[in-house]
Amino acid sequence: MRVAVLSFAHLHAAAYIQLLRDREGVELITADPEAPPGDPTRGRSLAERLNADYVDTWDEVFALRPDAVVVTSENARHRTLVERAAATGAHVLCEKPLATTEADAQAMIDACARAGVRLMTAYPVRFSPAFTALRRALAEGSLGGLISVHGANNGSNPARSHPWFGDPELAGGGALADHTVHMADLVDALLDGEQAAEVYAQANSVLDDGGSTPEVETAGLVTIRYPSGLVTAVDASWSHPPDHPTWGGLAMTCVAEKAIVEFDAFPPLLDGFDSTTGRGRWEAGGADLDAAMLDEFLDAVRTGRRPSPDGEAGLRTLRIVLAAYESLRTGQPVALPVG
């Protein structure tokens, strides 16, 4: 299978390249023609460092007719690459959020549907074995119905190393756009695609390391209400300082009728203090969620089945993010059409 990684803009691009490069049965191609000149984290220099085949233009990539592509460009540039990939018959795994506008997300879904190719949204936390167990327990009824979900997705400010995350046009927003979608997708999976009814948000740029403050929010609280009565509260922030022992983390508490369940997507295997660096020592335990997500995508490409989470899941979570920004503008809860 010929797979192309399109753009190295996103933080996850390097990890995807390394996983695909070493996978049996995959011929990897990479391209990053929109990389800023001289940026060692982008373009040919990164591809060479990762020992990945590289071409210089989008035209060269699509002339090679990849079977599948992984889109890791800036958020506002997803649509162009997804539409080009679909036009050449390539299945698509697209980084989150799916787009920066609902119109772009819907156009991407429509383009893939017309071309008969699959569109998957990159939500790796869905593939945590612990989350799979939580989802199964809820579906089997052992927890009863969900009453509330309290979640936190915190991390370091990605704009420190990848400045476009602080550009509201390219990123579509700051911490709310970057982190709310992960929690919204987990709830989306637990509720089997039930669409949110109302969103309220508050945000600021106080929680940061005091460095170069981007033109976007670095922390926020989002409350999401669903037609079933479930209320979800999300702490979405870039609050970790540069010397924090981990890049980020995601955890949530599910309050159900019969039980309260704690879920941590990245439990520590090793925790402590490293005297050589003066920092905390922390090693992640559990499965490689990026690898599990790529397994799902590649299997869907091989078999022709619908991947999960698909493009529609990406659209539902994007609507929540867009409503959160509308709430920030108005200071009021924003109702979403249901159905």
PDB file of all heavy atoms in Angstrom, residues 89 259 265:
ATOM      1  N   GLY A  89      -8.449   9.341  -5.875  1.00  0.00           N
ATOM      2  CA  GLY A  89      -8.863   8.026  -5.404  1.00  0.00           C
ATOM      3  C   GLY A  89      -8.178   7.566  -4.140  1.00  0.00           C
ATOM      4  O   GLY A  89      -8.211   6.367  -3.817  1.00  0.00           O
ATOM      5  N   ALA A 259     -22.577   4.024  38.792  1.00  0.00           N
ATOM      6  CA  ALA A 259     -21.141   4.021  39.091  1.00  0.00           C
ATOM      7  C   ALA A 259     -20.514   5.340  38.687  1.00  0.00           C
ATOM      8  O   ALA A 259     -21.067   6.095  37.878  1.00  0.00           O
ATOM      9  CB  ALA A 259     -20.448   2.868  38.360  1.00  0.00           C
ATOM     10  N   ALA A 265      -6.131   8.604  29.872  1.00  0.00           N
ATOM     11  CA  ALA A 265      -5.632   8.089  28.589  1.00  0.00           C
ATOM     12  C   ALA A 265      -4.138   7.801  28.608  1.00  0.00           C
ATOM     13  O   ALA A 265      -3.652   6.998  27.815  1.00  0.00           O
ATOM     14  CB  ALA A 265      -5.941   9.080  27.473  1.00  0.00           C
TER      15      ALA A 265
END
